[in-house]
Amino acid sequence: MTAGPPQAQPHRAAAGPSSGAGSVAGRHRGGGQLAQLERSVRAGGRSPARAAVTRAALPPTTSVRRSAVLALGSDTATPDIVLTRRNAHLNHHAGQVSLPGGRADPQDADIVATALREAQEEVGLQPSAANVIGTLPATLIAVSSSNVTTVVASWDGAAPLGIVDPGEVAAIRRVAMSELADPAHRARAHHPSGFRGPAFLLEDLFVWGFTAQLLDEILDAGGWSQPWDRHRVVDIPTEYLGRSLNS
């Protein structure tokens, strides 16, 4: 999720797995490794973790903007999901791990089009390569005054992805669902404010906050979750706290 693409010369950097606007909801053919995830998304509902996020309060004068992120899973023998690390200079969520996405533009046909456009602008995904499964209920993110809809989609994982705008995206990582589900990579993150929530401790990334809560829900919905130590609490590394606590 981004705050809007800065003007920069396009740059391509290959990203592989760690192990079109023409897409519409319902086009996904089903079957394969993502079948359970598809059934769960179509059934609707929300997890207690994400329901808790929506209770974040905003001042009554705050303008809330519509945004979307793309949860893009590869329908392959070893399913993975596309994550990005945001550039450290951004105003919101600087240096943090996110799904591709950003704020809706007036020309977007709908919130699905927003997610697909942002993914193309950030990681070079052609919209026609994504088979949209459906959407998760919108979540209010108070720190960026955004009401965020998660668009869940699959793809064949074959096309290379790359950083289109290095001013926004510092890195792209395709992370296997099995890597995320590994109990050794699971913990609860502790923020200096007192917040605690799901976290993923990968070799090269620390995932917490809204993105971690989404990944936790996706693992549950897709049947990949494994039991993990929910009493394990780790502090969020300084470089993943964002500019508000690092400036």
Side-chain angles (χ1 to χ4, degrees):
M1 177 180 167
T2 67
Q7 297 301 312
Q9 287 299 109
H11 171 74
R12 307 299 291 189
S18 56
S19 42
S23 273
V24 294
R27 181 173 153 188
H28 183 70
R29 293 184 298 275
Q33 296 294 315
L34 302 185
Q36 183 170 330
L37 176 62
E38 178 178 353
R39 290 193 296 270
S40 297
V41 170
R42 292 191 185 283
R46 68 187 315 128
S47 73
R50 288 186 64 243
V53 177
T54 65
R55 291 199 289 267
L58 288 173
T61 57
T62 301
S63 176
V64 177
R65 304 184 185 185
R66 296 184 71 208
S67 301
V69 295
L70 185 67
L72 183 66
S74 67
D75 203 352
T76 56
T78 305
D80 60 57
I81 191 165
V82 177
L83 301 178
T84 66
R85 186 163 185 196
R86 293 168 60 80
N87 193 294
H89 81 275
L90 296 173
N91 290 328
H92 297 298
H93 314 294
Q96 296 175 6
V97 178
S98 66
L99 300 172
R103 288 176 174 168
D105 282 350
Q107 68 267 27
D108 294 336
D110 53 26
I111 205 66
V112 171
T114 297
L116 295 175
R117 173 183 56 75
E118 286 285 341
Q120 183 175 25
E121 292 175 358
E122 291 185 2
V123 303
L125 177 77
Q126 294 302 310
S128 60
N131 294 312
V132 176
I133 296 171
T135 61
L136 301 178
T139 299
L140 176 64
I141 308 297
V143 68
S144 55
S145 303
S146 296
N147 202 36
V148 184
T149 296
T150 301
V151 176
V152 182
S154 69
W155 69 311
D156 63 13
L161 302 179
I163 297 173
V164 177
D165 187 348
E168 273 192 81
V169 177
I172 301 170
R173 174 90 137 80
R174 289 175 57 181
V175 183
M177 300 297 188
S178 58
E179 183 178 357
L180 291 171
D182 185 339
H185 298 157
R186 304 297 308 270
R188 290 179 61 78
H190 174 255
H191 189 274
S193 68
F195 167 85
R196 291 188 180 188
F200 295 85
L201 288 62
L202 308 178
E203 181 179 358
D204 54 341
L205 294 175
F206 186 95
V207 190
W208 69 283
F210 174 60
T211 302
Q213 289 165 331
L214 278 177
L215 294 176
D216 184 57
E217 181 174 359
I218 288 169
L219 291 178
D220 284 343
W224 296 292
S225 288
Q226 301 179 39
W228 55 281
D229 183 4
R230 296 177 183 271
H231 298 289
R232 181 188 181 194
V233 178
V234 297
D235 290 332
I236 300 168
T238 302
E239 63 268 29
Y240 288 91
L241 284 172
R243 294 181 66 187
S244 62
L245 291 170
N246 281 323
S247 52

